[in-house]
Amino acid sequence: MAGNATSLFRGTAAHSPSMAALTREGGEGAGPIDFCIPCNPYFPTPAMFDELAGRLREIVTYYPSGADTITAELCDLLQLPPSCVAMGNGSTELITWIDHLLVRESLAVPVPTFGRWTDQPMETGKRVDMFPLQESSGFALDLAQYAEFIRTRGTRVAVLCNPNNPDGGFLHRHAVVQFMDALADLDLIVVDESFLEFADAESEPSVVQEAVMRPNVIVLRSLGKNFGLHGIRFGYLVANPALAGRVRSMLPKWNLNSFAEHVVFMLREHGAEYLESLHQVRRDRLDMSRRLSSLPGLTVYPSQGNFLFVRLPVGAEGTVVRDRLLTEHRILVRECGNKIGSSSRFLRLVVRPEVDVRRLVSGLESVLYGSRRGAAVPGPAAGTGHGSGTAVVDRLMSQTNGAGARGLAAQAASLPGPAPAAVPGPAPVPGPGPLAVPVSGPEPLTGPMAVPEPSAAPSAATATATATASAPMPYPVPAPAPVPLAPAPAPAPVPAPAAMPGLAPAAAAGLAPAARTGMPGLAAAAANRRATGAAGGLTAAQVRGRTQPEPVGWPQAAP
């Protein structure tokens, strides 16, 4: 791919240029292998694409049906009343109207997360209270602490993303319900379940049915991500009839296009293929985690989304790795330096088929550990070589947190089965206090972040730090260990690490994939599909990728 394609990253307001722009810049041939945009690589099937191609002239020539007709068909699959559903031109359209109609003054959201949950309310002059997820705890969201933060700040709207983007952290249904109960007096609670179809940590993780019955809850769901069709732009929200109707009343009659209509009406005949595609993504997620975890110094965080959040080895700069993967290997990845609460040390990598993952691992090996002259990770005598945006993160790393890959590889070697594997999370940092999370600037912030009250010009609203009641304890930071130029032989097996403080123990038995989806109406179409066995050699905790503590001691509203 042409070297100047990387300039497109600096010429776009989005985190990455569009695939169309990259393909044009690359000249003849297909675009890069996409590990950036999180969509389902197995759906629609080739036969479905052929059917759409055969009707292309009709689809692009004529108006679609009204949104009510398309929504009614979708609701038949969802087994929900149409009065409780609003379909939008992508989830971003729905987030925009939620902000305009239902967010009066302030919104709280954990960070890092999907950027529109911070950017959209800031653009309209709202105060955004940002609750930082700590790297030292694997970016786990403690719902009790988050609720206490909301009470302290006096925030009126709360957002949860489950699984969270970009780390894939998962919250069990009962914990989310407890959170909604504890904050029932808020103006609004939004649970963004855009990636929940890819989760397999429990059989019924969605809180859609709760949203239908509660006065202040909206559940947001994506269709483009699940169906592998981001370009069509369709998603939906579920709420009680009053809330859903208020949003629906603001949407244009033809906010959904003809492609969206044809796909929704095709689903009834392709339910089995859709369910199988979800199973395949879950299997690929485990295999991809195992392969990436074999790279020295690379940390892979447990995920329940169709993507993996990884931390690069010490000294590696994410933008350099991204640009070299694109120009030298035609691989597109999501560098997370522009996400609030993250840094350029982190990449989000979309789950893809094995053949593509092998090419990704090969490219990362070349870029990170290639010849000394061209390697992104410096040799033992080169010092740390921190790049832009990484020094603060590196200062926060502890001895355990930075050791990473060698210990994880040993754990993988000790597991039973023909393909030993581990899906590691970072080890906890000892100490009673919270660890400061770097966002920007040379010094880390010491507590949850907040956006100040907007000034007279709403566009001037910016995010600032809000100090917490307890100050963080300082942690000693040893010099980072040198990273070898090539993977060393696997060491002897080591005992599995102790559970992270505050986490409930996981069940010992493995999970069998269930033929389930957030669309109950597709179950009949898949009834004759033979169930797929679980991947061998992994514990239930690794399959689940569980990261959150059990919520206890919920804060109460002020009298």
Side-chain angles (χ1 to χ4, degrees):
M1 176 163 286
N4 60 352
T6 58
S7 64
L8 295 174
F9 288 92
R10 289 166 282 281
T12 178
H15 60 76
S16 303
S18 69
M19 186 60 67
L22 286 170
T23 302
R24 287 192 299 269
E25 189 64 34
E28 295 182 0
I33 298 178
D34 180 20
F35 284 90
C36 178
I37 306 303
C39 61
N40 184 344
Y42 299 110
F43 197 83
T45 63
M48 293 177 69
F49 276 119
D50 289 343
E51 181 179 342
L52 287 170
R55 304 180 68 178
L56 179 62
R57 188 182 193 89
E58 172 190 342
I59 292 173
V60 300
T61 299
Y62 299 107
Y63 284 115
S65 302
D68 289 346
T69 301
I70 304 172
T71 301
E73 175 65 14
L74 177 67
C75 287
D76 196 39
L77 299 175
L78 298 174
Q79 295 184 2
L80 289 171
S83 61
C84 295
V85 175
M87 288 191 71
N89 190 257
S91 60
T92 299
E93 180 178 50
L94 298 173
I95 291 172
T96 300
W97 282 111
I98 289 171
D99 172 53
H100 281 292
L101 296 174
L102 304 173
V103 181
R104 294 183 300 171
E105 57 183 47
S106 56
L107 176 145
V109 61
V111 292
T113 195
F114 178 48
R116 291 313 299 167
W117 283 121
T118 55
D119 298 349
Q120 172 60 42
M122 288 170 61
E123 290 167 4
T124 55
K126 315 293 172 46
R127 189 185 81 228
V128 179
D129 297 328
M130 303 182 193
F131 183 79
L133 303 177
Q134 306 291 340
E135 180 186 349
S136 61
S137 60
F139 296 95
L141 173 59
D142 186 315
L143 284 174
Q145 291 184 9
Y146 182 39
E148 180 64 39
F149 170 75
I150 291 169
R151 292 296 186 203
T152 301
R153 291 291 300 160
T155 319
R156 299 306 306 159
V157 174
V159 174
L160 287 177
C161 295
N162 188 34
N164 190 43
N165 172 14
D167 57 275
F170 177 77
L171 300 164
H172 282 266
R173 182 182 183 279
H174 72 88
V176 178
V177 171
Q178 283 184 296
F179 180 84
M180 294 188 296
D181 288 341
L183 299 176
D185 59 307
L186 294 190
D187 294 344
L188 184 67
I189 298 173
V190 181
V191 183
D192 188 338
E193 295 182 350
S194 291
F195 296 97
L196 196 61
E197 290 283 85
F198 300 105
D200 57 6
E202 61 180 320
S203 59
E204 298 293 338
S206 178
V207 293
V208 160
Q209 295 298 332
E210 294 286 334
V212 171
M213 298 182 295
R214 292 175 181 257
N216 69 330
V217 173
I218 287 177
V219 170
L220 194 68
R221 304 278 298 207
S222 171
L223 293 174
K225 299 174 181 66
N226 306 341
F227 298 154
L229 294 169
H230 279 278
I232 288 185
R233 307 302 302 146
F234 54 172
Y236 65 96
L237 64 78
V238 181
N240 69 69
L243 272 180
R246 189 172 176 189
V247 174
R248 197 168 52 244
S249 68
M250 303 302 296
L251 299 173
K253 181 176 179 60
W254 285 294
N255 67 320
L256 304 174
N257 59 54
S258 293
F259 276 108
E261 178 178 13
H262 278 74
V263 170
V264 168
F265 276 83
M266 289 171 66
L267 291 177
R268 191 177 301 277
E269 303 301 322
H270 298 278
E273 293 95 327
Y274 174 61
L275 293 175
E276 179 60 28
S277 76
L278 298 179
H279 288 325
Q280 186 61 52
V281 170
R282 295 163 190 155
R283 290 193 294 265
D284 288 348
R285 181 173 61 210
L286 296 175
D287 179 71
M288 184 171 167
S289 294
R290 181 174 65 246
R291 291 178 182 273
L292 290 173
S293 297
S294 69
L295 296 177
L298 195 77
T299 300
V300 183
Y301 294 89
S303 172
Q304 283 285 291
N306 63 330
F307 48 80
L308 297 172
F309 198 47
V310 303
R311 186 182 66 204
L312 294 171
V314 173
E317 169 64 48
T319 56
V320 174
V321 173
R322 176 200 67 198
D323 290 353
R324 289 188 57 190
L325 284 173
L326 181 60
T327 57
E328 299 172 16
H329 302 277
R330 297 181 67 89
I331 294 173
L332 178 64
V333 300
R334 169 65 160 106
E335 179 268 326
C336 294
N338 68 339
K339 273 190 175 291
I340 298 174
S342 179
S343 81
S344 193
R345 276 285 303 282
F346 295 90
L347 303 178
R348 186 195 67 194
L349 303 173
V350 172
V351 173
R352 290 193 60 84
E354 180 184 1
V355 63
D356 294 340
V357 174
R358 287 201 301 265
R359 183 166 169 181
L360 170 68
V361 171
S362 176
L364 284 170
E365 287 177 335
S366 173
V367 170
L368 295 175
Y369 320 110
S371 66
R372 183 70 59 83
R373 182 185 299 272
V377 177
T384 59
H386 297 300
S388 171
T390 67
V392 174
V393 176
D394 295 336
R395 286 203 302 271
L396 296 177
M397 291 173 59
S398 69
Q399 180 81 33
T400 307
N401 217 5
R406 287 188 290 275
L408 295 171
Q411 294 173 42
S414 68
L415 292 172
V423 183
V429 178
L435 187 64
V437 170
V439 177
S440 61
E443 295 300 329
L445 299 177
T446 58
M449 295 168 288
V451 174
E453 297 289 352
S455 60
S459 61
T462 56
T464 60
T466 300
T468 55
S470 59
M473 298 292 293
Y475 295 98
V477 182
V483 178
L485 296 178
V494 297
M500 194 178 299
L503 293 187
L511 289 177
R516 58 168 174 73
T517 169
M519 295 187 169
L522 293 181
N528 296 324
R529 176 74 68 173
R530 185 170 61 184
T532 305
L538 293 171
T539 67
Q542 289 166 333
V543 173
R544 294 178 183 193
R546 186 171 182 175
T547 60
Q548 86 290 352
E550 297 292 341
V552 293
W554 294 100
Q556 300 299 316

